[in-house]
Amino acid sequence: MIVKDQALDAVMLRNDFPVLSRSRNIPALVYLDSAATTLKPQCVIDAIVRYYSEYGGSVHRGIYQIAERATEEYENARKQIARFIGAKTTESVIFTKGTTESINLVAYAWARHILKPGDEILLTEMEHHSNIVPWQMVAKTTGAHIRYLPLNDDGTLNLEDAHRYFTPQTKLAAVIHQSNVLGTVNPVERIVKMAHDAGALALVDGAQRVPHHSVDVTELGADFYVFSGHKMLGPTGVGVLYGNLEVLDKMEPFHGGGDMIRTVSMLESTWNTLPYKFEAGTPPIAQVIGLGTAVEYLSNIGLDKITAYEEQLTTYALKALRTIPGIEIYGEAPHRGAVISFNAGNVHPHDLSQLLDRDGIAVRAGHHCAQPIMTRLGISATTRASFYLYNTLEEIDLLVESIRKAIDFMGG
Ligand code: PMP
């Protein structure tokens, strides 16, 4: 177990992650794809197994012991997560399948009811597809327009003329907090304020931020803040939509079904209170409980310590990668997270990632669900290495060595 006032010891921490067990992987796994999904510590796996093996009842409805325990653990996870993100009340924390579903919830339950022809949705050129496609679908059905805040060459947002993008027609600004391709951390506080000054709502995609840096949703003041459990040591199949209570209260439900209703007659239904109005059907109980444990694990280590350690890894990796002849690194934002996208010589990212895999190194290759960035950079793909609390400087050395080998193998 980790004690708060000691420095983060990644070598010791690695023992908590069974996938990293040396005997399981030959060569040893060098996992550098945490921006896609993170590995899970044993305590999260145990919490899930405990639910299924000791008290696997359903939540909210059962009046017997195991159902009551399941409800208690499920709602306790909501409290832990609310505390973790600085939400004032658990009513504003809605469990979804993940970031994608959280954004779709807002698109269906808010935007489709509110937006009119000519209204504007403001995105940025660095959004993940999950924060583009739902809005395109909304635009198609409502007649709203989408506008994009542009990118600078260094991978930061160009906010010089931002006031021109916020018009009386702007109804929503939906922006990524930390880029999953470039690592850029956006000044979301400023963007939320500009949106509010223009009379628009603001949604922040925190999928790449919440796992790595402390976030206070109350201080930030965004109307919606979304993230995924599986990118922060939790299981897949669970994520969060944090919402401003007043806005959530006025919204129509997303999915209809059990648990989200107060009354149902043959002709009509009335809705449950928050957050249940948006949690139709049997929820992902084991996953929510697992996410609660992940949040507890991260809190015990301390987000500040995780951020500081990742900064050390990123600085080291940028320096080491830049020693490779012919490497091009995309994104030079001064304020950045632990994600590095690059191309190495003439080696295609897919070939490179396959060659690195021979050395046990797992990186991502492709457009990273952010094709507008690729278009903006004039490329079709990059290789991406992303780091988390279990990575070490030695692993970065192995990455650099393996890239050099791959370039030689492919004849430069
Ligand atoms: N936004 C960002 C910034 C992401 O990195 C991702 C996942 N790559 C998503 C949204 C989508 O998350 P999920 O697939 O968990 O819904």
Side-chain angles (χ1 to χ4, degrees):
M1 202 61 241
I2 292 89
V3 185
K4 248 193 169 159
D5 46 334
Q6 290 170 351
L8 189 148
D9 182 347
V11 174
M12 190 177 89
L13 268 177
R14 290 168 71 84
N15 295 325
D16 295 340
F17 292 81
V19 176
L20 292 174
S21 152
R22 280 192 175 263
S23 53
R24 188 163 295 165
N25 308 294
I26 298 166
L29 173 65
V30 176
Y31 188 71
L32 303 179
D33 197 17
S34 292
T37 199
T38 60
L39 306 178
K40 317 303 172 201
Q42 190 64 50
C43 61
V44 168
I45 299 165
D46 289 346
I48 295 166
V49 171
R50 226 174 9 252
Y51 165 71
Y52 285 121
S53 55
E54 292 178 19
Y55 62 99
S58 190
V59 290
H60 299 148
R61 284 171 291 259
I63 309 172
Y64 49 88
Q65 284 176 36
I66 61 166
E68 278 168 6
R69 175 154 177 218
T71 304
E72 198 180 307
E73 302 274 354
Y74 180 85
E75 292 302 333
N76 194 39
R78 198 190 308 270
K79 283 185 205 147
Q80 285 171 314
I81 291 156
R83 223 175 300 129
F84 188 67
I85 58 170
K88 278 206 202 116
T89 154
T90 49
E91 293 164 290
S92 56
V93 174
I94 295 156
F95 290 122
T96 64
K97 252 176 19 192
T99 305
T100 304
E101 192 181 60
S102 298
I103 296 172
N104 276 279
L105 192 162
V106 178
Y108 278 82
W110 178 78
R112 284 192 184 220
H113 293 280
I114 300 284
L115 298 190
K116 308 249 171 341
D119 282 346
E120 290 173 5
I121 302 165
L122 185 59
L123 308 177
T124 79
E125 278 184 348
M126 70 169 93
E127 297 311 314
H128 186 279
H129 293 167
S130 62
N131 200 24
I132 299 176
V133 182
W135 305 120
Q136 290 173 339
M137 292 160 75
V138 163
K140 211 168 178 178
T141 50
T142 62
H145 298 301
I146 299 178
R147 301 184 71 192
Y148 290 89
L149 283 166
L151 266 184
N152 292 315
D153 289 341
D154 67 356
T156 56
L157 278 184
N158 182 344
L159 293 175
E160 257 173 44
D161 291 327
H163 60 278
R164 284 201 296 113
Y165 288 83
F166 288 93
T167 73
Q169 283 71 48
T170 313
K171 294 293 180 286
L172 175 76
V175 295
I176 192 166
H177 199 158
Q178 178 172 315
S179 168
N180 60 311
V181 179
L182 307 164
T184 311
V185 177
N186 287 318
V188 286
E189 300 76 9
R190 206 173 138 197
I191 297 170
V192 168
K193 183 165 184 324
M194 284 193 280
H196 287 168
D197 287 349
L201 298 191
L203 178 149
V204 176
D205 171 357
Q208 296 291 342
R209 188 60 171 168
V210 174
H212 306 282
H213 196 279
S214 62
V215 168
D216 187 320
V217 290
T218 305
E219 209 173 289
L220 176 60
D223 302 278
F224 305 108
Y225 195 96
V226 299
F227 55 98
S228 298
H230 70 98
K231 292 184 197 282
M232 52 194 289
L233 310 183
T236 53
V238 62
V240 171
L241 164 67
Y242 160 82
N244 170 329
L245 277 189
E246 272 177 45
V247 179
L248 290 176
D249 220 25
K250 285 196 205 121
M251 277 162 55
E252 290 297 317
F254 177 31
H255 294 146
D259 230 21
M260 53 74 74
I261 47 84
R262 190 194 307 261
T263 60
V264 178
S265 74
M266 302 273 263
L267 291 178
E268 58 180 6
S269 306
T270 58
W271 314 138
N272 204 343
T273 50
L274 290 170
Y276 310 111
K277 179 171 91 173
F278 294 110
E279 292 181 4
T282 306
I285 303 167
Q287 291 86 335
V288 166
I289 292 167
L291 179 56
T293 305
V295 158
E296 194 184 347
Y297 181 87
L298 289 169
S299 303
N300 281 340
I301 296 169
L303 258 288
D304 291 353
K305 226 184 281 177
I306 295 170
T307 309
Y309 181 65
E310 287 183 12
E311 271 169 18
Q312 196 187 333
L313 288 174
T314 309
T315 307
Y316 184 85
L318 282 167
K319 195 165 167 210
L321 285 166
R322 285 193 182 114
T323 63
I324 300 171
I327 196 150
E328 175 141 24
I329 294 174
Y330 304 99
E332 290 163 46
H335 195 197
R336 64 170 302 144
V339 178
I340 304 177
S341 277
F342 57 91
N343 271 315
N346 297 324
V347 189
H348 190 278
H350 288 152
D351 294 332
L352 180 61
S353 108
Q354 245 173 21
L355 289 167
L356 296 183
D357 183 50
R358 287 195 200 169
D359 291 335
I361 301 172
V363 293
R364 192 70 147 197
H367 53 58
H368 317 295
C369 297
Q371 287 192 52
I373 298 184
M374 301 295 128
T375 306
R376 169 65 177 79
L377 298 175
I379 52 179
S380 60
T382 76
T383 303
R384 181 187 73 184
S386 53
F387 315 116
Y388 208 12
L389 39 77
Y390 34 66
N391 292 123
T392 62
L393 299 180
E394 289 71 28
E395 288 181 312
I396 292 166
D397 290 339
L398 290 172
L399 170 71
V400 171
E401 194 186 308
S402 191
I403 296 172
R404 286 179 187 278
K405 235 169 54 185
I407 293 175
D408 283 348
F409 180 77
M410 298 295 282

